[in-house]
Amino acid sequence: MAHSCCGPGYASPQIAMQAEPEKILYAIALYTGTGIEQPDYLATIDVDPNSSTYSQIIHRLPMPYIGDELHHFGWNACSSCHGDSSKSRRFLVIPGIRSSRIYILDTADPKAPKIHKIIEPETIKSKTNLSAPHTVHCLANSEIMISMLGDSQGNAPGGFLLLNDNFEIIGRWEENNDLKFNYDFWYQPRHNVMVSSEWAAPKTFYPGFDLNDVQAGNYGQRLHFWDWQQQKIIQTTDLGEEGLIPLEVRFHHNPDSMHGYVGAALASNIWHWYKNDTQWQVEKVIDVPAVELEGWSFPVPSLITDILISLDDRYLYFSNWLHGDIRQYDISDPAQPKLTGQVWCGGLLGKTIEVKGQQLYGGPQMLQLSLDGKRLYVTNSLFSTWDNQFYPDLASKGSYMLQIDCNLEEGGLEINQDFYIDFGKEPNGAARAHEMRYPGGDCTSDIWL
């Protein structure tokens, strides 16, 4: 990828948007929970429409262990280190959320990454009393920060793990910990703030979803605003029952902006936050109504499981995993999003379609947007035990990966009928696909100082 010569990433979101289009893409592929006794792996996918292997998996790197449940991952360095020529975006940090093992992969050969180092779960637990790693962000000081969802026994609340640039454990990041649960985080250094969200204890979500856990208060509903420098919570906002299970948090990419969003999965709504004088304000700005469905004892929520913001901060995208649609909203006015695009790709509402002759199973889940904002990629696996509850066919049929064209002028979404990755036909049997990243950075990993 073309970029300035003075460090990894790009000097600004605007410069990142002018980079060459992505040629390859990395995706997590899972066998955990499918009944196939094979390790999870990292798939390298050709997304260059001018390539002879376009829309194909061109390399697979299996992990040495079975049952990790690889989930979210990140880079050792990104645009937060731009300007430091001693750093490069070379190593992928890939945790197993179920095993608590962390893999460091070397992408010196971008099409064929190799395992560089493994951090064993026993080491993490003994040094930090943490488990269940989730979100990975590189920091401008070369350290790597990972949100951890549990203690060494799988109980809430977890905390934040710090690694140095040699991938050695430094310890825990937070100075205090008034968390009830932990999940995702995003920091905005110019405003000295980090925002974190809440899922549940690993002991709660590992076995699957249980409505009794909702009634027992075993799922989160709060946002936490941290003093980034002092590493302490300065404000906690309880979203109430209308904000149950706030998952992915996204600040505007503009480092001067004080606006951001979080998607509440179970409550199926989007919340907007901004700073007013000295306090962070949080308001609900999008609601997706639940739908009565035959065979269900309660109205089915859309279950918003992933959101992202385009690098120009104009569009917000999110996936409704149970209903089966992806939405595009114009957020030029951050407090009043306007629906501009919607596409159906699976789901429980019977609105699924075919792509390249294949009927789409499961619901749209993980999203990744090209740097120029024109191509949105989507996979459909959420979490192994939850997949098996809500979309049991995924275990035998495998995941899809789709590419959706985004209309940036007038708004709108359209599935690219020439791109379809069928993880159901993998050499070791049907696999499930989760998070995706590009070698040159993307819309959910880079943070600008």
Side-chain angles (χ1 to χ4, degrees), residues 118-287:
I118 301 174
I119 306 173
E120 295 293 351
E122 294 77 13
T123 307
I124 297 170
K125 292 175 182 178
S126 65
K127 291 188 174 181
T128 65
N129 189 32
L130 292 171
S131 69
H134 189 270
T135 301
V136 178
H137 276 302
C138 62
L139 307 183
N141 62 0
S142 303
E143 295 173 352
I144 298 157
M145 185 163 151
I146 305 174
S147 61
M148 308 290 285
L149 309 195
D151 66 13
S152 61
Q153 302 302 310
N155 301 303
F160 297 91
L161 174 70
L162 270 184
L163 305 178
N164 65 20
D165 56 359
N166 289 319
F167 310 109
E168 297 162 337
I169 295 173
I170 298 173
R172 297 177 68 142
W173 173 81
E174 72 275 18
E175 291 295 325
N176 69 345
N177 190 336
D178 296 326
L179 299 171
K180 187 176 181 182
F181 306 105
N182 199 16
Y183 184 68
D184 194 25
F185 72 101
W186 192 289
Y187 61 97
Q188 193 75 314
R190 290 189 189 179
H191 298 291
N192 188 34
V193 66
M194 181 183 88
V195 179
S196 68
S197 58
E198 298 186 336
W199 186 9
K203 282 185 174 178
T204 299
F205 67 76
Y206 277 169
F209 178 76
D210 186 340
L211 263 181
N212 292 322
D213 283 322
V214 177
Q215 295 162 357
N218 293 334
Y219 282 101
Q221 58 185 44
R222 303 190 301 172
L223 280 186
H224 304 280
F225 296 86
W226 299 71
D227 184 305
W228 178 241
Q229 294 297 329
Q230 295 189 29
Q231 302 165 202
K232 296 178 179 178
I233 293 175
I234 54 173
Q235 180 182 328
T236 291
T237 300
D238 192 328
L239 306 179
E241 292 185 359
E242 285 195 295
L244 270 169
I245 314 185
L247 294 181
E248 315 304 327
V249 292
R250 312 294 187 207
F251 252 110
H252 269 172
H253 299 285
N254 176 359
D256 286 325
S257 173
M258 294 186 283
H259 294 273
Y261 298 87
V262 61
L266 191 58
S268 302
N269 46 44
I270 300 291
W271 297 75
H272 163 232
W273 72 72
Y274 61 100
K275 195 170 186 180
N276 183 5
D277 296 327
T278 58
Q279 288 290 308
W280 291 93
Q281 308 294 319
V282 186
E283 58 185 11
K284 188 176 63 173
V285 291
I286 299 172
D287 252 326

Side-chain angles (χ1 to χ4, degrees), residues 267-417:
S268 302
N269 46 44
I270 300 291
W271 297 75
H272 163 232
W273 72 72
Y274 61 100
K275 195 170 186 180
N276 183 5
D277 296 327
T278 58
Q279 288 290 308
W280 291 93
Q281 308 294 319
V282 186
E283 58 185 11
K284 188 176 63 173
V285 291
I286 299 172
D287 252 326
V288 181
V291 174
E292 298 282 354
L293 199 60
E294 186 177 352
W296 286 68
S297 59
F298 57 90
V300 178
S302 73
L303 210 75
I304 298 172
T305 49
D306 196 15
I307 71 171
L308 61 76
I309 298 174
S310 59
L311 283 184
D312 61 3
D313 293 328
R314 178 179 176 188
Y315 288 111
L316 172 77
Y317 297 86
F318 65 83
S319 56
N320 293 308
W321 190 59
L322 291 183
H323 285 186
D325 58 316
I326 298 171
R327 297 188 181 196
Q328 176 198 54
Y329 282 80
D330 187 328
I331 55 171
S332 299
D333 179 348
Q336 298 187 47
K338 296 179 181 177
L339 180 64
T340 50
Q342 184 177 24
V343 66
W344 294 89
C345 36
L348 300 173
L349 304 187
K351 297 182 179 181
T352 189
I353 63 167
E354 290 187 353
V355 178
K356 298 187 80 169
Q358 302 292 321
Q359 187 174 12
L360 302 182
Y361 294 95
Q365 214 281 111
M366 292 308 298
L367 304 174
Q368 191 52 265
L369 187 66
S370 60
L371 293 174
D372 62 10
K374 296 179 180 178
R375 294 165 301 284
L376 182 70
Y377 296 88
V378 55
T379 58
N380 62 345
S381 173
L382 175 60
F383 186 69
S384 63
T385 41
W386 294 40
D387 287 350
N388 293 340
Q389 278 182 279
F390 295 100
Y391 292 112
D393 285 348
L394 270 183
S396 59
K397 297 183 183 300
S399 276
Y400 63 63
M401 179 187 293
L402 305 176
Q403 187 246 296
I404 296 168
D405 294 324
C406 306
N407 186 328
L408 305 185
E409 301 301 322
E410 300 174 354
L413 301 173
E414 184 177 4
I415 294 175
N416 178 353
Q417 293 290 333

Side-chain angles (χ1 to χ4, degrees), residues 30-34 38 40 66-70 98 384 432:
L30 302 172
Y31 282 115
T32 301
T34 65
Q38 292 288 333
D40 302 338
I66 292 175
D68 287 311
E69 185 130 20
L70 305 182
R98 197 174 286 273
S384 63
R432 294 189 283 216

Side-chain angles (χ1 to χ4, degrees), residues 37-104:
E37 290 298 304
Q38 292 288 333
D40 302 338
Y41 59 99
L42 184 75
T44 307
I45 295 167
D46 188 338
V47 295
D48 179 0
N50 298 315
S51 168
S52 61
T53 54
Y54 174 62
S55 186
Q56 295 178 31
I57 299 175
I58 56 174
H59 185 267
R60 299 169 183 83
L61 176 63
M63 302 301 116
Y65 295 93
I66 292 175
D68 287 311
E69 185 130 20
L70 305 182
H71 196 63
H72 287 214
F73 62 118
W75 289 99
N76 67 309
C78 64
S79 291
S80 66
C81 299
H82 187 75
D84 186 343
S85 59
S86 68
K87 303 295 184 300
S88 64
R89 193 196 311 258
R90 174 173 169 175
F91 296 97
L92 285 170
V93 181
I94 306 183
I97 191 172
R98 197 174 286 273
S99 68
S100 299
R101 187 173 289 110
I102 298 174
Y103 297 98
I104 312 299

